[in-house]
C-alpha cells in the first residue's frame, strides 16, 4: 500500500523532478488547489456570518478581508511558482504550460477587475460631496458588469487551474498519493459548496451590506445572480404596510 502510494502514476517514466519543479508544484497547488477556492467560498457564503443578527447588524467585512488578502497570497505564490520554471522554453510548449499561462492571465484580469470595481457609496462611504451615491450603492451599470464578469471569469479560472494542476502532475509523473489527496480534497470542496448553497448562505452582497429595505436603490433592481439569496421586505414590515393600507 505505502509502496503504491509513493510510486509514480506512470511506472514507465521516472518521477525525477528537481528543486525548481517540485517547489513550482507545491506553491501552485497551495495557491490554486487550496487558497483560491477557499477565498471564493468565503466570498460567496460568509457575507452574513452564522449567528449574525442580520439585518440589525450589517456589513461584517470578514469575507472581504479574507477574499482579497487570500487572493493577494495567490498572486504572490503564483509569481514564485512561475519564476521557478522560467525562462520559457518555446520548443517545449506543452498543454500544461499553455493553460498555466491562461490561468495567470485570468488571475491578472480578476485582480484588475477587483481593483477597478468602482466606488462603494452609502451611509458608511459617502461621496466627497456628502451624497450617498457610489457604484455599488446605486448598482450602476459598471458595478453590475463587474459582478457578472468577476464571477464568470473567477469560476472559469478555478476550473482551468484544476485541469492545469492535473496536467502538471502528469507531466511531472507525480506519485500516487498526490492524486489520491486531490481526489479526496476536490470532492470535499464541492460538497461544502453544495451544502452551503442549500442552506441559503449565498446572500446578495448588496443586502449583506445595506439590508433588505425595498427603498434602497439596489433593491429595486432585478435579481442579483444565480443562486444568490435576496430577501424581500421582512414579514414584520409587510404587516406594518398592510395595516397602514387598510387603516388597521
Ligand atoms: C494552477 C497551477 C499551475 C500553474 C498556473 C502552472 C503554470 C506553469 C507555467 C506557466 C509553466 C511554463 C513555464 C515556462 O514557460 O517555462 C509551467 C511549467 C511546468 N509545470 Fe506548472 N503550473 C501549475 C501547476 C503545476 C503542478 C501541480 C505541477 C506538477 C506536479 C507542475 C509542473 C510543471 C512542470 C514539470 C513544468 C515544466 C517545467 C520546465 O519546463 O522546466 N505545474 N507551469
Ligand atoms: C485581489 C483582488 C480581488 C478583489 C479586490 C476581489 C473582489 C471581489 C468582490 C468585491 C467580490 C464580491 C462581488 C459581488 O458582489 O458579487 C468578489 C467575489 C468573487 N471573487 Fe474576487 N476579488 C479579487 C480576486 C479574485 C480572484 C483572483 C479570483 C479568482 C479565483 C476571484 C474570484 C471571485 C469569485 C468567483 C467571486 C464570486 C463568489 C460568488 O458570490 O459566487 N476574485 N471578489
Amino acid at each position: 500500500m505505502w509502496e503504491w502510494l509513493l510510486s509514480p502514476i506512470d511506472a514507465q517514466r521516472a518521477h525525477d523532478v528537481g528543486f525548481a519543479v517540485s517547489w513550482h508544484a507545491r506553491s501552485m497547488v497551495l495557491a490554486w488547489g487550496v487558497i483560491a477556492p477557499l477565498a471564493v467560498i468565503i466570498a460567496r457564503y460568509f457575507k452574513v456570518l452564522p449567528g449574525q443578527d442580520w439585518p440589525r447588524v450589517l456589513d461584517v467585512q470578514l469575507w472581504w478581508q479574507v477574499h482579497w488578502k487570500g487572493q493577494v497570497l495567490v498572486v504572490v505564490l503564483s509569481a514564485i511558482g512561475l519564476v521557478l520554471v522560467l525562462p520559457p522554453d518555446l520548443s517545449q510548449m506543452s498543454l500544461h504550460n499553455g493553460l498555466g499561462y491562461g490561468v495567470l492571465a485570468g488571475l491578472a484580469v480578476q485582480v484588475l477587475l477587483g481593483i477597478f470595481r468602482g466606488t462603494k457609496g452609502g451611509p458608511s462611504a459617502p461621496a466627497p460631496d456628502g451624497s450617498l451615491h457610489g457604484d455599488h450603492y446605486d448598482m450602476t451599470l459598471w458595478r453590475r458588469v463587474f459582478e457578472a464578469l468577476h464571477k464568470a471569469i473567477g469560476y472559469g479560472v478555478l476550473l482551468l487551474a484544476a485541469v492545469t494542476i492535473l496536467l502538471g502532475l502528469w507531466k511531472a509523473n507525480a506519485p500516487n498519493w498526490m492524486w489520491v489527496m486531490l481526489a479526496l480534497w476536490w470532492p470535499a470542496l464541492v460538497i461544502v459548496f453544495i451544502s452551503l448553497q442549500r442552506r441559503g448562505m449565498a446572500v446578495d452582497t448588496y443586502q449583506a451590506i445595506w439590508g433588505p429595505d425595498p427603498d434602497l436603490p439596489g433593491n429595486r433592481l432585478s435579481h442579483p445572480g444565480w443562486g444568490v439569496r435576496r430577501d424581500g421586505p421582512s414579514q414584520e414590515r409587510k404587516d406594518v404596510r398592510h395595516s397602514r393600507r387598510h387603516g388597521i
Side-chain angles (χ1 to χ4, degrees):
M1 176 76 171
W2 285 116
E3 211 174 305
W4 179 81
L5 285 171
L6 292 175
S7 54
I9 186 131
D10 180 2
Q12 307 300 315
R13 293 181 288 149
H15 169 58
D16 189 12
V17 290
F19 173 87
V21 167
S22 62
W23 283 99
H24 164 79
R26 285 181 192 123
S27 62
M28 290 301 194
V29 169
L30 181 61
W32 289 101
V34 181
I35 299 173
L38 289 180
V40 167
I41 286 180
I42 197 149
R44 185 171 175 88
Y45 297 112
F46 292 90
K47 289 200 187 93
V48 172
L49 296 173
Q52 182 186 327
D53 187 12
W54 183 89
R56 224 181 300 271
V57 178
L58 297 169
D59 201 7
V60 174
Q61 297 192 353
L62 181 76
W63 74 271
W64 164 240
Q65 299 289 333
V66 176
H67 183 70
W68 80 259
K69 286 178 187 164
Q71 300 295 18
V72 166
L73 200 55
V74 170
V75 172
V76 172
L77 288 168
S78 296
I80 295 173
L82 178 65
V83 166
L84 284 166
V85 287
L86 287 180
D89 179 353
L90 294 179
S91 63
Q92 298 281 312
M93 210 44 173
S94 62
L95 188 56
H96 170 82
N97 294 20
L99 295 187
Y101 282 115
V103 169
L104 299 178
L107 173 64
V109 172
Q110 285 299 84
V111 172
L112 288 175
L113 280 172
I115 292 172
F116 295 109
R117 68 194 178 282
T119 55
K120 184 173 178 184
S124 60
D129 65 3
S131 84
L132 298 186
H133 291 300
D135 286 301
H136 198 180
Y137 191 70
D138 296 330
M139 286 306 281
T140 57
L141 178 63
W142 171 236
R143 176 72 198 192
R144 280 175 279 149
V145 168
F146 158 71
E147 287 190 12
L149 281 182
H150 191 75
K151 281 188 194 182
I153 299 173
Y155 287 112
V157 171
L158 284 187
L159 289 178
L160 194 62
V163 175
T164 307
I165 288 176
L166 292 177
L167 290 169
L169 290 180
W170 180 251
K171 193 175 164 87
N173 198 17
N176 289 319
W177 70 265
M178 293 189 191
W179 302 84
V180 172
M181 289 295 282
L182 287 177
L184 296 172
W185 171 245
W186 277 333
L189 278 182
V190 172
I191 290 168
V192 167
F193 203 93
I194 293 172
S195 72
L196 296 176
Q197 182 68 36
R198 286 219 179 126
R199 283 185 213 176
M201 286 175 70
V203 177
D204 178 18
T205 318
Y206 194 90
Q207 295 206 334
I209 298 179
W210 292 294
D213 188 334
D215 296 330
L216 293 171
N219 284 339
R220 293 188 212 123
L221 288 168
S222 59
H223 203 265
W226 176 83
V228 172
R229 201 180 97 198
R230 176 185 280 184
D231 290 7
S234 73
Q235 196 53 46
E236 202 180 313
R237 263 178 291 131
K238 268 190 205 153
D239 292 345
V240 171
R241 281 213 213 126
H242 178 84
S243 38
R244 274 207 209 113
R245 211 171 296 141
H246 295 88
I248 310 167

